[in-house]
Amino acid sequence: MLTFSRTHHEHLKGLTIRDFTLTPAAHSRDTVSTPDSYNVVWNTPSVDENGSMPIGNGDIGANVWVEDGGDLLFYVSKTDALSENMRFLKLGRVRVTLNPNPFEKGCSFKQELDLTNGVINITSVSKSNQNLLNLKFWIDANNPVIRVEADTSKDTKVSVQLEMLRNKRTQASDGDISFGGLKDRDKRRRFSYPVFVEPDTLHPSKDNTLVWYHRNKKGSHSVWEDSLKVQGLEEFMKKSKDPLLNLTFGAQVQGTGLLKSSAMELKSQQPTKHINISVHPLTDQSDTAKIWLGKLKKQVKNSGTHTAKKAQWLAHKKWWHDFWQRSWINITAKPGEDAYVVARGYALQNWVTACGGRGSMPIKFNGSIFTVNTKERGRLHGPDYRAWGSAYWWQNTRLPYWPMLASGHYEMLQPLFKMYSDALPLAKHRIKKYYNFEGAYFPETMFPWGTYRNEDYGWNPKKGRHPDRIRGHHTQYYWQSGIELTAMMLEYYDHTGDRNFLNKKLLPMAKEIVAFYDQRYKRNAAGKLVIYPANALEDVFHCTNPTPEIAGLKYVLPQLIKLCEDKNLREKYKKLLTELPDIESAVSESGQKYLLPARKDVKRRGNCEKPECYAIFPYRLYGVGLPDLALAKETFKLSPREMEGQDRSNGWAQDPIFAACVGNVDEVKKLMIQRMKRYHKESRFPGFWGPNFNWVPDQDHGGVNCTALQKMLLQTEPYSNKIHLLAAWPKDWDCSFKLHAPYKTTVQGEVKNGKLINLIVSPASRKKDVINYLK
């Protein structure tokens, strides 16, 4: 590893290669609040984009790499770049060529992801031409702009080239599952109609800029309109508008001293030692391209000049410093040791989440905004490809969001809450149309506006078929997402005390979700609710009384009763709570009671979702600090281990969370080590998990890892003020941590030699609620 002894962006005028001394890099060991120990450092350029580093500001992202002997390249992405086919697309690719080239083969090279400051630093020294480069690549945390800033020791010619990704209209292949939702199961998953990928538009700008965009024009099909019509909801079209139509996304590239040399290239007017390039992405639903171009021009003006002002850079660094100070889990270990790999994986997942977690759309579980032309099993798939497409599966979408609570990253939960809150009017309309009563549910596989994917619903429903009998049996009666969303909202409120959120979002959402279950299902002779027909996730189909639904309602109703000020509604909640049946259970050979996924009259698939364990997490009815810990342990112990090649060390399998919640230290430690080592081997970045069941980088895998590691340290539940500390933490892992708990509480401390030390609880009045399990 090499570093340059002078500061990274020191003025280089008049200096030569001899003015710089190459020294071994110092390894930061601050285990209190900075993630420096987990910076990713590469000492050689990359072969291709599978060797890219991710960076972002929450909405805008880039995959950055340097080709061996070649150029600096980066993809530009955005959280809301949705095409006419409901696919998340890359905006484009940018290539920066320098002459004399500091990246010549054999150069002394270092590329480092500086987590603390939110920047990628690249230093390179060419042996043949002695051109030394110091480059800083950052995406402003507070403004919509990408900045490339570099100094060189020699006068350097600069070329910036736009590489558009969609140059002509092409027909999509029936075999491409990244178009998920447009296929027809009755046609062996071929497209229901010919699907085309429309080209991007290169704007003929007359100034020294490169401007391009993708615009969704009205065509023969609208995914939004098709989904409403096929699902019998066309009346709702009068109350809303197509969210994809006229959606336009693209960017402007410019730079100091760069002149337009061709339609897709900027070149330096004179050789320079100081390089400043900026990229300004924008997504907007504009009636015309001219309006979008006007908004882009205004955004560029508001973001500042080609060169970032010092205050913008300082504000950017402050944002990232504050982010890392808000919470952390740092484990004392040397690089390469298992404990180090676990802690690094936690830090890198938090980085990836923050880079793509503050946009207008929720995080996509199958790649976030960091898909590239991924190499998987020897085959390249294209930068716009993601397995399963761009719809939202609740089972997958939720997993990157649960750890945001203990991390205190509350603002990043807002895109998720907003999407489901915005879809609530359609969900209510659907219930009124399908059942003629009030209430709401959300499909498991959902387009952002709230409909099923037509691929799951069925493109041609048979006449007389009840509208809720969808085509895909895996998700036919899979509706528990609304209950878990309510549970997540409740925990968010417990953490923040946000009364506006409680009254405007949480309580209205909960009212409709509970109303659906109250009215959709009948009572038996004993007056108990019978939830049938139902799915226990994707494990038991067409079953009765699935555990996630029963446990979920038992979990959220007592909390809603406490919060609801409407007396009549509160009485309804109380009545429904008394009508809920017991969670289905059995007795093991050892004589210990354990939970079942549903009533034991339908054969289960035995997959890795484990619906019986939902009473352990996310619905904290059993486990550490709760009644009947032995039942929780036996339930987890007897849950299926593998099915159809599904591995507990992969993707959305939640075994480490369940293990932590029942206090199984050895099991959760083993699983965490396995999972943190399961990054994509064809990718160079060690925080790109996958593809597992999803795609690369797999955000489910990272989300489960983060939640499990947090729960090894800290667990809470809504029935008391207790904070259960270190209930599943290995005694041989020294660490420092800071996590968040309900009632605006932070818990900070260290584990050293198997003991808790330096415990700081804020407010101090909450320290009495802490129960330390590591004594």
Side-chain angles (χ1 to χ4, degrees):
M1 185 185 298
L2 302 174
T3 59
F4 294 92
S5 60
R6 292 181 180 266
T7 56
H8 187 67
H9 275 278
E10 187 170 351
H11 186 55
L12 298 175
K13 186 175 181 180
L15 299 177
T16 69
I17 191 75
R18 289 182 293 275
D19 291 296
F20 292 84
T21 304
L22 297 177
T23 58
H27 187 73
S28 171
R29 293 296 310 190
D30 185 347
T31 59
V32 177
S33 60
T34 66
D36 295 353
S37 295
Y38 312 119
N39 285 357
V40 177
V41 180
W42 296 336
N43 294 312
T44 59
S46 295
V47 174
D48 56 29
E49 58 216 80
N50 288 279
S52 66
M53 275 183 183
I55 190 169
N57 70 352
D59 181 39
I60 297 166
N63 294 73
V64 183
W65 74 101
V66 174
E67 289 181 340
D68 189 15
D71 305 322
L72 169 75
L73 294 101
F74 57 95
Y75 280 114
V76 181
S77 55
K78 207 162 179 303
T79 62
D80 51 5
L82 275 167
S83 77
E84 59 280 340
N85 295 316
M86 231 323 280
R87 295 175 79 217
F88 286 92
L89 302 183
K90 292 287 187 193
L91 273 64
R93 192 166 80 167
V94 177
R95 179 183 294 270
V96 179
T97 303
L98 305 176
N99 184 19
N101 187 5
F103 303 130
E104 281 186 344
K105 284 186 178 293
C107 64
S108 295
F109 178 87
K110 178 184 176 184
Q111 178 173 336
E112 179 171 9
L113 175 59
D114 179 351
L115 295 169
T116 297
N117 295 307
V119 62
I120 294 174
N121 295 315
I122 299 174
T123 53
S124 190
V125 184
S126 169
K127 290 184 177 178
S128 66
N129 57 51
Q130 295 191 340
N131 192 16
L132 181 145
L133 170 84
N134 272 322
L135 183 144
K136 182 167 70 175
F137 190 107
W138 55 292
I139 304 180
D140 195 323
N142 305 295
N143 294 285
V145 57
I146 300 170
R147 297 200 180 275
V148 183
E149 301 168 346
D151 293 323
T152 59
S153 60
K154 288 195 168 188
D155 287 335
T156 302
K157 295 178 181 178
V158 183
S159 165
V160 181
Q161 304 154 59
L162 167 63
E163 298 182 358
M164 293 171 65
L165 301 177
R166 295 161 294 273
N167 294 302
K168 61 181 180 179
R169 192 177 197 240
T170 58
Q171 185 166 357
S173 165
D174 281 320
D176 189 342
I177 65 170
S178 69
F179 289 83
L182 307 186
K183 306 294 187 68
D184 191 336
R185 293 171 187 253
D186 293 323
K187 294 181 179 180
R188 297 184 180 180
R189 292 189 185 270
R190 294 186 176 92
F191 286 119
S192 182
Y193 56 86
V195 173
F196 293 89
V197 176
E198 301 298 338
D200 298 337
T201 298
L202 180 66
H203 177 63
S205 56
K206 296 180 181 179
D207 55 3
N208 293 310
T209 64
L210 303 177
V211 178
W212 81 102
Y213 58 85
H214 188 95
R215 181 167 172 79
N216 299 340
K217 302 175 183 176
K218 189 170 182 61
S220 58
H221 280 269
S222 157
V223 180
W224 173 78
E225 188 174 318
D226 284 347
S227 67
L228 290 169
K229 286 182 175 179
V230 167
Q231 295 169 37
L233 304 171
E234 59 272 20
E235 294 171 4
F236 193 77
M237 292 169 59
K238 301 173 185 176
K239 304 178 183 179
S240 58
K241 70 174 186 176
D242 189 336
L244 301 179
L245 181 63
N246 296 328
L247 193 68
T248 309
F249 47 89
Q252 176 172 308
V253 182
Q254 59 192 35
T256 303
L258 298 181
L259 304 180
K260 199 167 189 176
S261 61
S262 67
M264 298 175 67
E265 184 177 23
L266 303 175
K267 284 188 175 180
S268 52
Q269 186 177 15
Q270 299 290 337
T272 181
K273 291 186 175 74
H274 311 293
I275 300 164
N276 290 283
I277 302 163
S278 61
V279 183
H280 303 261
L282 172 66
T283 302
D284 187 74
Q285 193 170 19
S286 302
D287 288 341
T288 65
K290 184 178 180 180
I291 293 174
W292 182 85
L293 289 165
K295 291 182 177 181
L296 176 64
K297 184 177 181 180
K298 183 178 180 180
Q299 175 182 294
V300 173
K301 183 179 179 181
N302 291 339
S303 295
T305 60
H306 301 322
T307 306
K309 297 177 181 177
K310 183 178 181 179
Q312 290 175 314
W313 168 242
L314 292 176
H316 168 83
K317 289 204 302 181
K318 182 181 184 304
W319 191 94
W320 280 105
H321 285 207
D322 290 347
F323 173 84
W324 294 112
Q325 288 289 333
R326 203 177 305 174
S327 70
W328 65 82
I329 300 175
N330 295 331
I331 305 177
T332 305
K334 295 178 181 179
E337 293 179 349
D338 288 345
Y340 176 87
V341 172
V342 170
R344 180 191 64 180
Y346 181 81
L348 294 184
Q349 181 58 44
N350 273 284
W351 166 260
V352 171
T353 298
C355 286
R358 293 193 296 152
S360 60
M361 298 296 293
I363 295 167
K364 279 300 291 147
F365 63 90
N366 47 355
S368 185
I369 52 174
F370 296 116
T371 55
V372 297
N373 192 11
T374 299
K375 188 175 183 181
E376 170 60 17
R377 298 181 182 179
R379 176 188 165 202
L380 295 171
H381 289 76
D384 292 332
Y385 179 92
R386 61 182 79 230
W388 309 113
S390 294
Y392 286 90
W393 272 251
W394 172 259
Q395 172 71 15
N396 308 80
T397 299
R398 67 200 177 93
L399 291 171
Y401 285 94
W402 274 114
M404 293 176 187
L405 293 159
S407 295
H409 298 142
Y410 305 124
E411 76 283 3
M412 288 194 286
L413 282 151
Q414 301 311 314
L416 179 72
F417 293 157
K418 183 180 186 301
M419 183 179 76
Y420 279 92
S421 294
D422 288 350
L424 186 59
L426 175 58
K428 292 169 63 177
H429 176 85
R430 174 170 44 228
I431 295 303
K432 192 68 175 176
K433 179 69 180 290
Y434 288 5
Y435 303 103
N436 196 31
F437 58 71
E438 303 299 326
Y441 73 76
F442 296 106
E444 164 60 11
T445 59
M446 190 181 91
F447 283 136
W449 49 88
T451 62
Y452 287 95
R453 304 188 314 161
N454 278 352
E455 181 175 338
D456 299 320
Y457 187 85
W459 277 92
N460 299 289
K462 293 180 180 179
K463 190 175 181 179
R465 186 190 89 175
H466 194 279
D468 74 2
R469 296 199 59 184
I470 72 168
R471 176 67 175 79
H473 62 275
H474 285 76
T475 57
Q476 186 171 28
Y477 300 110
Y478 189 160
W479 297 322
Q480 83 87 34
S481 57
I483 304 175
E484 188 173 354
L485 176 64
T486 300
M488 189 181 288
M489 287 178 153
L490 284 163
E491 190 161 341
Y492 171 87
Y493 174 71
D494 281 346
H495 275 245
T496 65
D498 185 342
R499 297 289 299 182
N500 186 61
F501 174 82
L502 172 70
N503 293 317
K504 296 290 181 63
K505 289 191 176 180
L506 167 53
L507 292 179
M509 176 69 71
K511 175 184 175 183
E512 304 302 334
I513 299 300
V514 173
F516 169 72
Y517 282 94
D518 193 13
Q519 297 178 82
R520 171 66 175 83
Y521 300 104
K522 298 178 181 179
R523 275 67 174 171
N524 61 18
K528 295 296 184 180
L529 194 71
V530 180
I531 299 182
Y532 173 87
N535 274 31
L537 309 180
E538 292 188 27
D539 190 349
V540 192
F541 305 150
H542 218 76
C543 66
T544 303
N545 290 348
T547 292
E549 275 79 352
I550 302 300
L553 290 170
K554 285 178 177 287
Y555 182 76
V556 302
L557 282 172
Q559 299 177 68
L560 294 173
I561 290 167
K562 287 173 61 178
L563 293 170
C564 183
E565 295 180 355
D566 183 323
K567 182 179 179 181
N568 292 332
L569 188 56
R570 191 165 61 246
E571 292 304 314
K572 285 185 179 180
Y573 290 163
K574 289 179 179 179
K575 183 174 182 292
L576 180 59
L577 184 60
T578 65
E579 294 171 339
L580 293 177
D582 292 337
I583 298 173
E584 298 288 335
S585 63
V587 177
S588 67
E589 292 181 358
S590 65
Q592 174 60 52
K593 183 180 176 182
Y594 67 98
L595 302 179
L596 298 172
R599 199 168 73 187
K600 199 173 182 180
D601 54 3
V602 179
K603 185 178 180 180
R604 70 183 304 176
R605 296 171 69 221
N607 71 346
C608 65
E609 291 173 335
K610 305 190 176 184
E612 62 269 48
C613 291
Y614 268 52
I616 299 169
F617 175 86
Y619 309 126
R620 302 278 287 121
L621 299 180
Y622 303 99
V624 167
L626 295 161
D628 216 337
L629 178 59
L631 178 146
K633 288 185 173 182
E634 192 76 355
T635 299
F636 174 62
K637 176 184 173 183
L638 297 179
S639 61
R641 286 307 187 237
E642 292 185 13
M643 177 262 186
E644 299 177 359
Q646 295 181 357
D647 188 329
R648 295 186 297 156
S649 301
N650 273 350
W652 65 66
Q654 299 168 83
D655 283 51
I657 302 177
F658 301 144
C661 287
V662 300
N664 190 331
V665 179
D666 293 339
E667 181 76 358
V668 69
K669 179 183 177 181
K670 179 183 72 176
L671 288 170
M672 289 302 294
I673 293 169
Q674 289 175 357
R675 289 179 65 96
M676 290 295 194
K677 292 180 178 180
R678 294 287 293 261
Y679 60 86
H680 185 233
K681 301 311 179 191
E682 299 283 0
S683 297
R684 194 175 187 183
F685 186 70
F688 277 178
W689 326 105
N692 302 322
F693 313 130
N694 297 326
W695 197 235
V696 182
D698 178 5
Q699 298 308 286
D700 288 352
H701 190 94
V704 169
N705 291 352
C706 289
T707 300
L709 196 66
Q710 291 171 351
K711 292 198 176 296
M712 291 167 70
L713 285 161
L714 184 148
Q715 296 182 41
T716 61
E717 31 81 16
Y719 309 110
S720 74
N721 296 332
K722 299 303 180 186
I723 298 171
H724 305 279
L725 209 55
L726 305 169
W729 192 258
K731 289 186 176 181
D732 59 337
W733 280 5
D734 289 355
C735 75
S736 71
F737 64 90
K738 178 183 177 182
L739 293 171
H740 293 246
Y743 315 121
K744 301 181 182 179
T745 302
T746 58
V747 181
Q748 182 177 337
E750 298 177 57
V751 174
K752 193 167 184 65
N753 299 323
K755 299 291 185 181
L756 174 65
I757 62 173
N758 299 329
L759 177 65
I760 302 171
V761 181
S762 178
S765 60
R766 290 275 275 143
K767 192 170 185 179
K768 68 180 185 305
D769 299 321
V770 173
I771 301 173
N772 176 19
Y773 287 72
L774 200 60
K775 295 180 179 179

